């Protein structure tokens, strides 16, 4: 029996040749590891090859030019109306014709972009700053702050946005674009807070955050330098999508007559004014409606493209 065990051990021995007896063969293949890339670089590389992103970006750039410099597209006053031109068809310099009050529909469509888009951008900015900040702090520090923010957010979750906006706007004597911005952001910030909170909780449990703590980095610096940049992806996506939703909501409030006042040119108020002309076969309703639809569609497409690019799991599928 001992002899069998000795033979078994002999078969299991490993023989290592001396280094000077091993011939090292040269190779002409060089492995290029390259420099490491961040998630933002990978996302930008994918976005450049995404036709949906290109189409959405072109539309958004065009809309931004219209909002900032409407005079490039029309040199007329959108508030000037002449009853003599009431419901006149299209003509030179007036490609969309005139509405019942004798206002140039094309000019009002061009200038109406400013109020609708500015209301959406303003509401999105407040939505991101308030909701994103509270959600990030609640997710990172947890404890009492997390409980308080979560309970307050649940209260606003129970209030429908459109219903609350209609009731509050009707109670106000004077309505401005800032009123619309604050009301839209006040009842939607929990959406940003929820996304930011979950993204920060996931990011703060990562190894690089543990390494930062081991190196003695302060908590606030860890949050700003390590957690937020890696948790910003989902928040950017939801913010882009909500921008389109805010534009639609503002137009809906103006259409219902409780949004921006008539003195401010907007797509929603023009849709409300021209809705009765649709029965007579006039297409002037479709011009501001089409502009509104294309604007919202461009931001939704941008949000979808950003979601696919910023989601590592989606890139692997």
């Amino acid at each position: 029996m001992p002899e069998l065990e000795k033979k078994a051990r002999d078969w299991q021995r490993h023989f290592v040749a001396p280094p000077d007896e091993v011939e090292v063969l040269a190779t002409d293949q060089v492995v290029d590891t390259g420099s490491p890339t961040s998630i933002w670089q990978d996302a930008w590389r994918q976005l450049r090859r995404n036709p949906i992103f290109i189409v959405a970006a072109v539309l958004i750039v065009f809309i931004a030019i219209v909002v900032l410099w409407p005079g490039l597209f029309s040199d007329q006053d959108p508030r000037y109306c002449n009853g003599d031109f009431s419901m006149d068809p299209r003509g030179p310099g007036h490609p969309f014709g005139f509405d019942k009050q004798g206002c140039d529909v094309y000019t009002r469509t061009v200038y109406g972009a400013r109020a609708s888009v500015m209301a959406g951008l303003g509401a999105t900015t407040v939505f991101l700053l308030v909701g994103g900040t509270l959600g990030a702090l609640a997710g990172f520090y947890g404890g009492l702050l997390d409980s308080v923010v979560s309970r307050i957010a649940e209260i606003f979750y129970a209030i429908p946005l459109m219903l609350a906006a209609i009731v509050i706007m009707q109670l106000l004597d004077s309505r401005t674009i800032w009123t619309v911005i604050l009301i839209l952001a006040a009842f939607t910030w929990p959406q940003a807070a929820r996304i930011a909170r979950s993204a920060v909780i996931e990011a703060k449990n990562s190894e690089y955050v543990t390494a930062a703590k081991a190196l003695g980095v302060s908590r606030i610096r860890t949050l700003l330098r390590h957690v937020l940049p890696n948790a910003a992806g989902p928040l950017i996506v939801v913010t882009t999508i909500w921008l389109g939703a805010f534009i639609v909501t503002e137009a809906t409030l103006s259409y219902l007559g409780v949004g921006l006042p008539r003195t401010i040119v907007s797509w929603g108020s023009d849709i409300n004014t021209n809705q009765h002309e649709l029965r007579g076969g006039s297409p002037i309703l479709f011009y501001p409606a089409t502009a509104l639809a294309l604007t919202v569609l461009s931001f939704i497409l941008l949000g979808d493209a950003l979601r696919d690019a910023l989601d590592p799991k989606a890139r692997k599928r």
Side-chain angles (χ1 to χ4, degrees):
M1 196 68 179
E3 293 180 358
L4 293 176
E5 293 179 357
K6 182 177 181 303
K7 290 181 179 180
R9 287 195 298 268
D10 292 341
W11 280 103
Q12 295 175 356
R13 289 180 181 178
H14 298 279
F15 296 93
V16 180
D20 54 353
E21 296 182 3
V22 178
E23 181 180 1
V24 180
L25 300 178
T27 178
D28 57 353
Q29 296 181 354
V30 179
V31 178
D32 185 14
T33 58
S35 58
T37 58
S38 64
I39 184 175
W40 302 105
Q41 293 173 332
D42 294 339
W44 173 241
R45 187 179 298 111
Q46 182 176 353
L47 287 174
R48 289 182 300 178
R49 299 192 298 265
N50 191 345
I52 296 178
F53 170 76
I54 296 175
V55 172
V58 171
L59 287 175
I60 290 174
V61 170
F62 176 73
I63 294 168
I65 295 175
V66 173
V67 171
L68 296 175
W69 300 286
L72 296 176
F73 303 90
S74 178
D75 57 354
Q76 302 183 34
D77 185 1
R79 298 181 181 86
Y80 174 76
C81 302
N82 190 342
D84 296 335
F85 300 141
S86 177
M87 299 305 297
D88 281 358
R90 67 185 66 183
H94 309 283
F96 296 165
F98 296 87
D99 60 10
K100 193 170 185 178
Q101 287 75 28
C103 305
D104 184 20
V105 177
Y106 171 75
T107 302
R108 291 186 65 87
T109 301
V110 170
Y111 280 85
R114 174 172 292 180
S116 299
V117 174
M118 292 302 295
L121 286 175
T124 303
T125 302
V126 180
F127 165 85
L128 178 62
L129 292 178
V130 176
T133 301
L134 292 177
L137 294 176
F140 186 75
Y141 289 100
L144 179 62
L145 179 61
D146 187 15
S147 301
V148 172
V149 172
S150 299
R151 300 296 82 76
I152 296 176
E154 289 175 355
I155 295 175
F156 283 91
Y157 268 128
I159 305 175
L161 169 61
M162 187 59 64
L163 178 61
I166 291 174
V167 172
I168 296 177
M169 294 292 284
Q170 284 183 334
L171 296 176
L172 299 177
D173 295 331
S174 61
R175 301 188 298 268
T176 64
I177 191 171
W178 290 107
T179 306
V180 176
I181 289 173
L182 293 178
I183 290 177
L184 293 180
F187 292 96
T188 56
W189 67 266
Q191 301 285 344
R194 182 185 63 177
I195 299 298
R197 177 181 177 274
S198 60
V200 167
I201 290 176
E202 181 179 358
K204 77 174 184 179
N205 295 323
S206 303
E207 295 180 355
Y208 54 84
V209 176
T210 304
K213 293 180 181 179
L215 293 174
V217 180
S218 62
R219 300 194 68 182
I220 187 64
R221 187 177 179 183
T222 301
L223 173 63
L224 296 177
R225 188 170 181 179
H226 300 285
V227 176
L228 286 183
N230 291 278
L235 192 59
I236 292 175
V237 173
V238 72
T239 300
T240 306
I241 297 176
W242 267 101
L243 176 56
F246 286 138
I247 295 176
V248 171
T249 306
E250 182 279 325
T252 303
L253 293 175
S254 298
Y255 171 78
L256 296 175
V258 295
L260 297 176
R262 297 287 183 178
T263 56
I264 300 178
V265 181
S266 68
W267 288 331
S269 60
D270 284 353
I271 294 174
N272 183 17
T273 302
N274 300 323
Q275 64 177 331
H276 302 289
E277 310 305 328
L278 185 61
R279 296 180 179 178
S282 177
I284 58 177
L285 170 67
F286 293 103
Y287 299 124
T290 301
L292 174 64
L294 289 177
T295 302
V296 175
L297 178 63
S298 63
F299 286 108
I300 293 177
L301 291 177
L302 179 63
D304 291 340
L306 289 175
R307 180 188 58 193
D308 295 338
L310 294 174
D311 187 3
K313 297 180 181 179
R315 292 199 299 268
K316 292 179 181 179
R317 290 194 294 264

